[in-house]
Amino acid sequence: MKITRLECFHVKPRWLFLKVSTDGGVVGWGEPIVEGRARTVAAAIAELEPVLIGSDPFRIESLWQRMYRGTFYRGGPVLTSAISGIEQALWDIKGKCYGMPVYEMLGGRVRDRIRMYGHIKTYGDIGGITWDDMLASARSRKEDGYTAIKYAPAAPVRHIDTQSFIEAEVKRFVSLREVVGKEVDIAVDFHGRISPAMSVRLAKALESHYPMFIEEPCLPDNTEEIAMVARSTSIPVASGERKFTRWGFRQLFEKQAIAVAQPDTCHAGGIFELRKIAAMAEVYGVAFAPHNPLGPISLASCLQLDACTPNFLIQEFPAMESGADLGIGLLKTPFKLEKGYIAVPGGAGLGIEVDENLVRANSYDGAWDTPHVEYEDGSLAEW
């Protein structure tokens, strides 16, 4: 069997799907994307075609090495995201040919269902969300059976912000706790928008209210800063959505900077690369919770990985009102969320059947950019 074609689809609201075809008639799907740079990733996929066209799709590791190491400049979000989506599609093809889920080829499942956490609308964050919207969103997640939710602090945040900022963030957390109770975990995504100094202050203020974890307490560029925040608090620190391949995670583990590793199957190198990262994390006693703010192919890839990973903790999920991230309107059989869990899929490959007609109907030109936030003085703030 040989790879014959790679075809990209820009899909609303901001996703990029990849279809890999073979001369045997078997096709695989992946989700290669850098949010805000989808068209750049599509160009990178086209540049990798000489490595892939005519190659055996079963030789996943060999092709991964050739795509990653075969160029003088390696790594970074664009190249590894392109490789990630291609790798997902290759596993999908291989699983379909062998008639088994990807997790069976990675050692078999260690659990029967996957615990999910959903995002909630956040008052004061980008988008004009009201206080009532935030509390209603949290209440809805609890009613839907989620055992964990996540939100982000208001943006922008000054490098050294005021006492009123800290008090407002504590009020936000306490209000959510009153809505969902102590039996539902609440994670706080600092989103890299807070300086190390303010992260220490905010973590100290939140500590007694028992957050599940704080995510990206500061920008991921400097592991020492993340480790410093981790040493300053008893709250578990999570990070990794902007790290790529196992080499990007090495220092996070060695410096004991995180308690929860969050690589993204669409960014960090694909399914097998994340399984390697999870194995590294396990050695250091670090839990594994894949990042996923994307579409149903990303979710499908995550679920395959979650099913066979012993140190898996919980799976991120946008929980869109439309259900598009579950595959409604894109997959022939969407995923089903039941009491905060998704059952381990039983189908071959990624366990999904993409409806290409619906994908084409939801296609657009790929123009989407990350929102920009400014301070009061007009300078750019971290989002």
Side-chain angles (χ1 to χ4, degrees):
M1 184 180 290
K2 304 295 182 185
I3 297 170
T4 57
R5 188 181 183 191
L6 288 83
E7 187 175 4
C8 288
F9 301 88
H10 295 284
V11 180
K12 299 173 185 176
R14 59 172 187 174
W15 303 330
L16 179 65
F17 293 176
L18 170 68
K19 177 185 176 184
V20 177
S21 300
T22 67
D23 59 4
V26 181
V27 303
W29 289 85
E31 192 166 343
I33 181 71
V34 174
E35 297 90 313
R37 294 294 178 266
R39 292 177 291 190
T40 309
V41 176
I45 290 169
E47 291 174 344
L48 290 169
E49 285 186 355
V51 177
L52 298 162
I53 301 298
S55 295
D56 180 352
F58 284 13
R59 297 186 62 181
I60 299 172
E61 182 68 15
S62 175
L63 290 173
W64 195 99
Q65 295 293 333
R66 289 178 181 276
M67 289 186 289
Y68 185 76
R69 296 170 57 200
T71 178
F72 185 77
Y73 295 98
R74 62 182 62 173
V78 172
L79 176 62
T80 52
S81 296
I83 292 171
S84 296
I86 293 167
E87 193 259 15
Q88 293 166 10
L90 297 182
W91 279 112
D92 195 26
I93 291 169
K94 192 165 190 171
K96 288 173 179 175
C97 289
Y98 281 112
M100 64 176 67
V102 173
Y103 60 76
E104 291 290 0
M105 293 184 283
L106 296 180
R109 60 186 172 90
V110 296
R111 57 184 50 83
D112 300 323
R113 56 183 187 155
I114 310 300
R115 187 187 180 204
M116 311 292 293
Y117 72 86
H119 298 175
I120 67 165
K121 298 175 181 178
T122 306
Y123 169 72
D125 201 9
I126 299 164
I129 305 300
T130 69
W131 187 265
D132 288 341
D133 290 336
M134 179 186 71
L135 298 184
S137 180
R139 191 174 295 109
S140 176
R141 294 287 179 264
K142 183 177 181 181
E143 291 170 352
D144 288 341
Y146 287 95
T147 61
I149 59 174
K150 187 173 80 175
Y151 76 98
V157 184
R158 298 190 190 100
H159 193 86
I160 304 295
D161 218 313
T162 61
Q163 182 178 351
S164 64
F165 164 78
I166 296 290
E167 291 175 349
E169 290 303 322
V170 172
K171 179 183 178 183
R172 189 192 318 271
F173 191 97
V174 170
S175 297
L176 292 172
R177 178 66 76 200
E178 290 173 351
V179 169
V180 302
K182 293 182 178 180
E183 67 275 16
V184 174
D185 284 315
I186 305 173
V188 187
D189 187 355
F190 285 22
H191 224 273
R193 64 181 58 161
I194 302 180
S195 70
M198 282 305 298
S199 287
V200 171
R201 282 185 164 178
L202 182 54
K204 183 176 181 179
L206 292 173
E207 200 167 43
S208 63
H209 302 291
Y210 207 82
M212 182 184 190
F213 56 74
I214 55 174
E215 179 177 339
E216 272 202 338
C218 48
L219 289 170
D221 306 333
N222 191 329
T223 300
E224 291 285 1
E225 292 174 346
I226 301 173
M228 181 273 291
V229 175
R231 289 191 297 269
S232 75
T233 181
S234 67
I235 303 173
V237 169
S239 192
E241 69 180 76
R242 289 188 270 187
K243 294 291 186 180
F244 313 106
T245 75
R246 75 204 90 145
W247 293 280
F249 279 82
R250 178 179 174 180
Q251 283 197 330
L252 287 173
F253 298 143
E254 290 179 346
K255 295 183 181 298
Q256 299 181 306
I258 57 173
V260 182
Q262 296 177 303
D264 191 307
T265 57
C266 298
H267 298 322
I271 295 170
F272 196 34
E273 186 66 14
L274 261 70
R275 188 63 189 86
K276 295 173 184 178
I277 294 168
M280 292 171 65
E282 189 177 6
V283 171
Y284 287 90
V286 173
F288 184 70
H291 177 253
N292 171 38
L294 295 168
I297 301 175
S298 172
L299 175 60
S301 299
C302 289
L303 295 176
Q304 295 295 323
L305 187 63
D306 302 339
C308 63
T309 302
N311 53 326
F312 168 75
L313 175 67
I314 195 167
Q315 178 60 58
E316 180 175 17
F317 173 62
M320 297 169 64
E321 292 179 2
S322 67
D325 47 355
L326 283 170
I328 295 174
L330 293 167
L331 303 182
K332 292 185 178 179
T333 304
F335 291 107
K336 186 179 295 184
L337 186 80
E338 295 182 324
K339 296 182 178 180
Y341 287 80
I342 293 179
V344 171
L350 295 181
I352 57 175
E353 189 175 358
V354 175
D355 190 323
E356 189 170 333
N357 290 329
L358 291 175
V359 168
R360 291 182 182 277
N362 284 279
S363 294
Y364 77 119
D365 64 2
W368 185 90
D369 198 5
T370 302
H372 293 171
V373 181
E374 295 182 349
Y375 292 115
E376 297 94 328
D377 64 4
S379 60
L380 187 67
E382 297 294 344
W383 179 67

